[in-house]
Amino acid sequence: MSDDEMFLPRTDTTATQRPAPAWAKKNPPKSKAAVRTPAKSTWRKILAPRDPHEHARKIAENAIDAWYQNHGGNSIDVPIGTIAAIALLRQPEDVGNGLADWILQRQPHELPQLFKEIYLGHWIKRPDLINRAIRLHDWAWNPNPDTQQIRAVHAVTHRAINQGLLDLTGHDDPHMRAEADVLSPLLTGLRHKSDKKWRGEYHTPACVTDLLANMLVDKDFGGPNKSIWEPAVGSGTMFRSTAQRLRDLGLNPHNYRWYGNDIDALSAACAAVNAIIWDLGPQCLIGCADSLALEDGGYAKTLAEAQDAFKQRDNYVDTASAIVASRRAFRLVDELMASKETAVA
């Protein structure tokens, strides 16, 4: 499996027929004796709730429990960033559950490097969204990490994978991995009640956003360059419902312009990662600004930041390419000099 296949989302935009959701195809739970016999990959699916939203809530609850039981601290962006990184991975059904088992074998000190590689893999394609999500991965670049915090990250990773996180978000088909928002219950569960009240942060339930999307979006919805705006995007739940509705109607979310904005940086970071997980397309922008204070809701600022992110990426890639070319040239010179010395001798 190449790095692009492992880290970057892939989608077949030509397909209109969608398979039944994963949770609808689950077999009834087996007896404890039967569950113990198969490999690890089997019992995760058997024990997972059939409803994807309930499954997401269960993953969040277990991740929160693992974080605090292992004394992870008050930096809630760390466990959220851990779950977000794993959710960005693809684990197609045809390759089995080897990826999940491989991650579970990593030592605590190996996880920050793994998460950096995941975010960097997506940064190559969408630097604007990964930059917006900096709150979720900045901690992984710490050269002197807190060992207790890393142990808590390790515990969260194990708990989330064993609760079937990759079974929910690891599909190749974006329609299937967008069945639920994993980051919303995690974010709201980690925040203190007083903090949520002060921020006025109340995420709309998925049942409500699904109902709104079904009411507002039909087969004739929009046209070329149709824009979908959300001034208080949160983790992007309304975007998820709209994208799912479009796909159910045989429409492609890539044909629409998405702009989500939130005043809270951590919520905007979650929405940016979800935009990649749900494959909202190249015209999706996520901003962090006060929608009420700016006439355009912060769109011009977000667009400028996105353009700067792509320019910065191009500069880095050009520099890296030049360094690689120089090293190859030096190696060729060394080989030529060595061959001449051999000939003279």
Side-chain angles (χ1 to χ4, degrees):
M1 182 184 298
S2 67
D3 289 341
D4 286 346
E5 290 176 330
M6 180 175 181
F7 291 127
L8 298 181
R10 292 169 287 145
T11 174
D12 181 8
T13 57
T14 61
T16 57
Q17 295 293 327
R18 299 289 173 182
W23 59 269
K25 299 185 292 184
K26 290 187 173 66
N27 296 322
K30 299 180 180 179
S31 66
K32 292 183 179 180
V35 171
R36 283 195 297 268
T37 302
K40 293 180 181 179
S41 59
T42 304
W43 62 259
R44 293 189 191 113
K45 292 182 179 180
I46 292 175
L47 298 181
R50 292 173 178 268
D51 182 275
H53 304 298
E54 182 60 32
H55 191 183
R57 284 193 293 270
K58 186 175 181 180
I59 292 170
E61 290 171 359
N62 278 270
I64 294 169
D65 183 61
W67 178 252
Y68 287 124
Q69 275 193 355
N70 289 272
H71 311 288
N74 297 324
S75 299
I76 65 173
D77 47 336
V78 177
I80 298 174
T82 299
I83 300 299
I86 299 171
L88 284 169
L89 290 170
R90 302 282 77 82
Q91 182 178 253
E93 292 186 3
D94 58 348
V95 301
N97 289 265
L99 176 60
D101 296 335
W102 180 84
I103 296 174
L104 292 178
Q105 295 171 6
R106 299 308 95 197
Q107 297 299 314
H109 68 274
E110 296 178 297
L111 291 178
Q113 180 62 32
L114 171 62
F115 297 152
K116 286 193 294 184
E117 291 177 2
I118 294 171
Y119 283 111
L120 280 172
H122 286 283
W123 175 82
I124 293 296
K125 188 174 183 180
R126 290 304 303 266
D128 56 325
L129 295 178
I130 296 302
N131 284 1
R132 181 66 64 205
I134 191 170
R135 284 281 302 273
L136 302 182
H137 57 82
D138 190 46
W139 60 272
W141 302 87
N142 186 353
N144 299 304
D146 184 336
T147 55
Q148 183 60 47
Q149 187 180 80
I150 296 302
R151 282 195 290 268
V153 167
H154 188 253
V156 169
T157 300
H158 273 246
R159 194 75 71 87
I161 289 179
N162 283 329
Q163 289 297 325
L165 175 58
L166 286 174
D167 294 325
L168 190 63
T169 62
H171 302 281
D172 269 342
D173 189 339
H175 189 278
M176 297 183 69
R177 64 176 182 261
E179 288 181 339
D181 181 356
V182 177
L183 300 182
S184 176
L186 185 63
L187 175 59
T188 56
L190 283 166
R191 275 199 167 137
H192 194 274
K193 291 182 179 179
S194 61
D195 191 19
K196 288 186 285 188
K197 183 177 180 180
W198 172 76
R199 295 174 184 273
E201 181 182 34
Y202 299 97
H203 291 202
T204 308
C207 59
V208 176
T209 58
D210 287 345
L211 176 62
L212 289 173
N214 289 336
M215 292 173 59
L216 298 175
V217 179
D218 56 23
K219 188 71 175 179
D220 300 323
F221 180 75
N225 296 321
K226 173 70 175 180
S227 296
I228 302 170
W229 286 47
E230 172 58 87
V233 71
S235 62
T237 304
M238 190 67 223
F239 278 0
R240 184 200 65 80
S241 296
T242 304
Q244 291 295 81
R245 175 62 173 168
L246 290 172
R247 291 179 175 122
D248 288 339
L249 294 172
L251 302 173
N252 189 352
H254 287 209
N255 296 332
Y256 297 81
R257 292 186 296 180
W258 306 77
Y259 174 59
N261 181 67
D262 203 280
I263 194 172
D264 176 59
L266 195 52
S267 294
C270 291
V273 170
N274 277 333
I276 298 174
I277 296 172
W278 303 333
D279 193 25
L280 298 184
Q283 301 184 85
C284 178
L285 295 175
I286 302 295
C288 182
D290 187 349
S291 297
L292 299 179
L294 300 172
E295 184 177 353
D296 64 348
Y299 178 79
K301 173 177 174 288
T302 301
L303 180 60
E305 290 172 346
Q307 292 171 343
D308 290 341
F310 278 97
K311 289 179 182 178
Q312 184 186 51
R313 180 207 60 184
D314 293 341
N315 290 336
Y316 283 144
V317 171
D318 290 343
T319 301
S321 300
I323 292 173
V324 170
S326 298
R327 289 178 177 175
R328 288 177 178 172
F330 282 125
R331 282 199 298 269
L332 288 174
V333 171
D334 290 340
E335 291 174 2
L336 289 173
M337 294 299 293
S339 62
K340 286 182 179 180
E341 291 175 358
T342 303
V344 170

